[in-house]
Amino acid sequence: MEDPIFFRRHSKRSFLDKPVPEDALLRILEAARWAPSANNNQPWRFIVVREPQRLQAFREALNRGNRWAWKAPVLIAVCARAEDDFVRKDDPVTYHLFACGLAVENLLLAAVEEGLMGHPMAGYSAPKVKEALGIPEAYSVVVVIALGYEGPIDLLDEETRAKDERPRTRKPFAETVSWDCWAFGEGAGGE
Ligand SMILES: Cc1cc2nc3c(=O)[nH]c(=O)nc-3n(C[C@H](O)[C@H](O)[C@H](O)COP(=O)(O)O)c2cc1C
């Protein structure tokens, strides 16, 4: 496989001040909404923000460390509520969040396909995002995504540039994958 799309996706921080075409945005959201979910319950709700006043209120809800995201022309709040979960009784798995993760990865990969970059963030004030976008109390803001065209790294301030210059890494393969039984140390060998 040559340079598959999931290796081209990355979370960098420099965005161009260039609008995202409506048709590209719609294709990206279509990809997100066709993600699988338990019982096909589709618990995700995407609030796609472009309108200047609303966008500014949303930006102000981001943490200081995510100030780079102010340049992104689109911010998306991914929301869900526990009530929409598929609940299993033998393990405390929260499938509504799992489904949001699947939908968000679809969204991020579709953005790459469109020549865009999506950067997920947990660094925001949830109450402020809820207030800015009128999100009901029962819903959580699962993640926020900055979306736009990637810009050159030299548009970033020094501190943010240093973050983007750090090499992207992953834990060693064997730390997160085992064959045939649990082999990660704790409880290894199916004890
Ligand atoms: C749920 C979630 C929350 C994240 N929160 C932030 C954030 O607040 N600020 C930030 O700069 N990056 C954030 N990231 C991006 C991660 O740092 C990034 O995905 C990780 O370092 C792996 O890099 P990659 O996406 O380029 O593969 C977040 C990613 C996820 C999935």
Side-chain angles (χ1 to χ4, degrees):
M1 232 189 299
E2 207 172 296
D3 200 11
I5 198 161
F6 33 84
F7 290 134
R8 278 187 282 132
R9 183 213 56 80
H10 57 211
S11 307
K12 298 290 187 184
R13 296 173 177 81
S14 178
F15 282 97
L16 294 179
D17 189 9
K18 176 181 166 186
V20 174
E22 179 89 11
D23 58 335
L25 195 51
L26 288 172
R27 283 190 292 270
I28 289 168
L29 293 164
E30 204 55 20
R33 149 185 129 70
W34 277 90
S37 58
N39 283 338
N40 197 21
N41 67 1
Q42 302 160 64
W44 46 73
R45 299 291 180 268
F46 301 101
I47 308 178
V48 185
V49 182
R50 293 174 295 174
E51 188 271 311
Q53 234 178 313
R54 204 62 96 153
L55 191 57
Q56 190 51 31
F58 196 170
R59 286 170 174 154
E60 283 167 15
L62 301 178
N63 290 359
R64 225 180 56 83
N66 285 331
R67 195 69 193 249
W68 49 267
W70 281 43
K71 280 200 76 182
V74 181
L75 287 177
I76 302 174
V78 182
C79 304
R81 57 177 182 179
E83 198 182 299
D84 287 335
D85 216 343
F86 162 69
V87 183
R88 66 175 312 128
K89 297 199 171 72
D90 56 355
D91 213 359
V93 176
T94 50
Y95 284 107
H96 67 298
L97 302 179
F98 180 81
C100 286
L102 292 169
V104 166
E105 182 67 351
N106 270 15
L107 186 156
L108 297 175
L109 294 178
V112 174
E113 185 93 351
E114 299 289 344
L116 291 154
M117 178 174 70
H119 187 137
M121 292 173 278
Y124 53 82
S125 155
K128 284 189 191 162
V129 174
K130 287 185 179 186
E131 194 188 334
L133 308 184
I135 299 167
E137 207 39 57
Y139 281 80
S140 293
V141 183
V142 179
V143 78
V144 159
I145 301 165
L147 183 73
Y149 289 96
E150 186 175 354
I153 194 167
D154 55 8
L155 291 182
L156 295 172
D157 64 72
E158 209 175 312
E159 193 185 340
T160 313
R161 193 168 64 227
K163 288 185 190 169
D164 271 14
E165 277 168 350
R166 267 185 236 137
R168 295 174 60 242
T169 60
R170 287 301 184 265
K171 291 176 179 172
F173 187 89
E175 229 177 89
T176 56
V177 182
S178 83
W179 305 103
D180 303 324
C181 71
W182 181 276
F184 298 118
E186 195 191 336
E191 287 160 32

